[in-house]
Amino acid sequence: MARLGLSKLVALLKQGLGKRTSADAAETQPLSCAWNRPLGLGWEQPYTVRYASNLDDGPNHGMPLGGFGAGCIGRAPDGSFNLWHLDGGEHWFGTLPDCQFALFESDGNASRAHALAVKPERDASRPQAGKPLGAWSWYPASTPEHSTGLYEARYPLSRMRYQGVFSAQVSCEAYSPIIPGDYQRTSYPLAVFAWRLHNPTRKPLELSLLLSWRNTVGWFTNTDPSASVHFRDDGSPEHNYVPAIGASEGQRNRWHEQGGMKAIVLDGDHSRPVQEGEGQWCLAVPDETTLAAHGISAEVLRCSRWDPSGDGAEIWRSFARDGSIPESNDDRRSRSGEPASAAIAVRLRLEPGATAEIPVVISWDLPVTAFATGTRALRRYTDFFGTSGTHAAAIAAEGLEHWRSWRRAIEAWQQPVLERSDLGEPVRMALLNELYDLASGGSLWSAASPDDPVGRFGVLECLDYAWYESLDVRLYGSFALLQLWPELDKAVLRSFARAIGAADPTPRPIGWYFTQGKGRVEAARKVKGATPHDLGAPNERPWDATNYTAYQDCNLWKDLASDFVLQVWRTFKLAKGGEDVRFLADCWPAAVEALTYLKSFDANNDGLPDNGGAPDQTFDDWPLKGVSAYCGALWIAALEAALAMAQRLQLELGLDTSEQQRTFGDWLGQSRANFDALLWNGEYYNIDAESGTPVVMADQLCGDFYARLLGLPAVVADDRARSALGAIKQACFERFEGGKLGVANGLRRDGTPLDPNGTHPLEVWTGINFGLAAYYRLMGDTATALAITGAVVEQVYSGGLQFRTPEAITAAGTFRACHYLRAMAIWALWATHTDWQPIGPEQA
C-alpha cells in the first residue's frame, strides 16, 4: 500500500520554515512527540472501510476540542472545522465554511487576506447548494513538493502553522483543559485558540485576525426519537440519528462584555426550559484594555449577524480591503430558513520584530443530553456553571483568564511521557493522541449526585457499535482512564456492579444468526446474575438499560464476569490516590454474583466454564467450543483476584468472606489442575479443547498478563508463557505481512490462514495488539513489544486513521469500526514500566 510514510512526512514538514529569529525559535520548532501533517495535503491511498454500512468519513480528521462529556468539535489538518460531536453519543461530520478563522495582512504596499483553511467543496449544512462563500479567498493547500503550513497534534494540544503565504509568522495552538485528576476543568465545553503573530520583516504590518461562527443552537438533537433496533449487513444493531441541521428559528446573536472580555453570544430561544441541543455559543477575545496591558495596541470589531447562505461578500469585502468588518449588534431572532453567523476581529499594528499573542475562546453551553423519550441527563460541567444554558460567556471568561496556566498544566502532565525516550517517539505520540477518544468517542459525563460524587461516565465502544463501555473492550481500553482519571473508571465499574443483579426478560433477535443464514433466534435482553456486555446506548437509557448490543446473546459470554472482577481489582490496586477499600466493598457483592453465574457454564465440573460453540466472548465472530485458552485464563486470574478481594475486605472491613474464599479456592484448584492438561500442546495453548481449530490465537493468555500485572499468582508457568509468546510472534506477527501491519488474531503455526475469507482471525485489532505488546514488555521482551506497537502506530498514523483509530485493519488496506475504545490499550504499555507511576496532579 503506497502511503506517505512518517519519515518522508517529517522531511516535507520542514520545508518552507525559513529563517527563525531567537524570539520565535521555540514556538516554530515542531512539537515533540506530535503527529504532523502538511496543511491541506491529501492522502494518496488511505485505509478505507471494510463494510459499506460502517462509518468512513475519510482521512481528514484532526484532534477534538472540548471537555469529556461536554460535546466536542474538531479542526482538521486542512484547517476546516468538520467534527461536531455535540449530542452525547451521536456523530455528525461535515464542514461549515463560515465556521473559520481568517487573517488580513498589509505592509503598506500590498495586502492579502485568506480564510485559514483549504477551500471547502461544499457547505455540509446545505448539501444541495452551490460552491460556498464564493467571495472568500481560501488558503492554498500543501502539495507533495511544497508545504504551505503544518498541522501538529499531541492531544489535548494541537498547533497550526502557516508558511510562505503571509509575511508575518503565524501560528495557533488549540487546546481544552484536559488535565488528569482534575474532574472540573476536564469537563469544560470550550476551546482555546492561542494565536501568535510575529513580524520578522523591516516594515510594520497591519494585521487583522477574524473568527466567524454559525449559530447552531438547536441543531444537535435527534429528530427521530425511535429506540427501535435495525441490523446492518454485518449483523450489528444500530439506531437512526437525524439531527436538526440547518435549524434557525428563534436564534439570535448579540454583543457581550464583561471583565476584560469582548464577545458575541450566539443564543437560542429561552422561553421554555432548556432542551437537548439548546443553549448558547460564545466567541470571545480580550478587550482593548487587556490587550494593551500585554503590549498589544489593537481594536476589537464585532458583527453580530451576517448571512452565510450567500457568497460571503458582506463580511469579506471590507475584511479583504483593510481588515475591518461591518460592526453591528443586530440581535433580532431568525426565522425558519434564515441562518445567522457572527464574526469578531482583532485588528492591530505589528512593528518590525514584534510579537503578539492573542487568545480566542469558543465556548458552548448545551447542558442537556437526551436519550429515549423523556430520559435525559445534565452534563458534568453544569455542576460548576449551572443548568440554564445561558452561561457560555461565563465559560469563555474562565478560558480567557486561565488559558496560559492551562497550557502550562498540559505541558507538565505530559512531561513524563515526553521524557520516556526508551519508548520511541511514535509510541509516545500515540500514547497521548489515543486519548482523543475520551472526548470524541460519544462520551457521556453526567452531573454529580449523592450516589455518584463525580457523576456517571461512559465512552462508546465505537460510533458503529454505539453502546457504552463494552466491558470486554474496556478490559484493554480503560487503562488510560484508570491511570489518568481513576474516579471516572470507578464510576463506570460501579455502574456495572449495579447492573449485574438486574434482569430484563424482553426477547430480542440475535444478529449473528442472521449473518449465518439461520433465521430468527431470540434471547432475553438481560438475565439476572449475568455480567452485562455494555451500559446501554444513547437512544435508550444509558447506565440503566444495559446489554444494548444484540449481535450475540451476551448472557452466554464466558469472559465478561472475569473482565469485571479483574477490572475492579486492577482499579483498587493501581488507581492513583491509594487503595480504595470502600470501592472494593461496593463492587464485592456483584463480583460474587457474576462469578457464581459464570461457573454455571462449567458443563463437566472441571472448574472451567465451557464455551458453547456460538461466538461467546470478545471475538464475537469466532466460535469456540469447550474450555478455551482465552476465557479459561481470564477465569483463573479472576478467581485469584476474587480471593485477594475477599481477604482484604475481611481484614480491613471485618466482612465475613470465609464462605466465598472456600468456594473460589475450590474452583481455582480445579481450574488450575485442568487448564494445562486440556489446552497445552507442548509449544502454546490450543484455542479451545473441543473444536480442533488448528490456529495460534494471539491473545490466548490475556488472563496471565492481567494476573502478572496485578501481582497475582501467574496463570501459567514462565517457560510456557514465553514459549506461547514465541509461537505468537512467529506465526501471527513475523509471518503475517512481514510484521509490518501488526499481529493478526489467529493463524496456523506456519503463518497461513485457516480460512482466507475469515473475519476476526485475519484482522489486526489495534487494542489487542497494544495489550499483547504490554504482555511482551511485562515478560521482559521490550523489543518485540515496541516492534508490534510501532507497526500498528505506523499504519494508523500514516494511513489516514488518526483520531478515528479503528478496531481492526486488514492486509487489503481496509478498516472496521473507527473511533474504537479498545485502542487506548496503548496505555497498558505505560502500566508495565518497572518504575510505573500514575500521571497527573492529585485528584481534584
Side-chain angles (χ1 to χ4, degrees), residues 678-697:
L678 289 169
L679 297 170
W680 178 249
N681 65 17
E683 187 185 12
Y684 58 90
Y685 288 87
N686 291 328
I687 189 170
D688 60 34
E690 297 181 23
S691 72
T693 304
V695 299
V696 180
M697 184 182 193

Side-chain angles (χ1 to χ4, degrees), residues 659-675:
E659 181 178 350
Q660 288 89 355
Q661 290 186 56
R662 285 193 297 271
T663 298
F664 294 157
D666 289 344
W667 294 351
L668 181 62
Q670 282 183 290
S671 298
R672 285 192 173 278
N674 290 306
F675 183 78

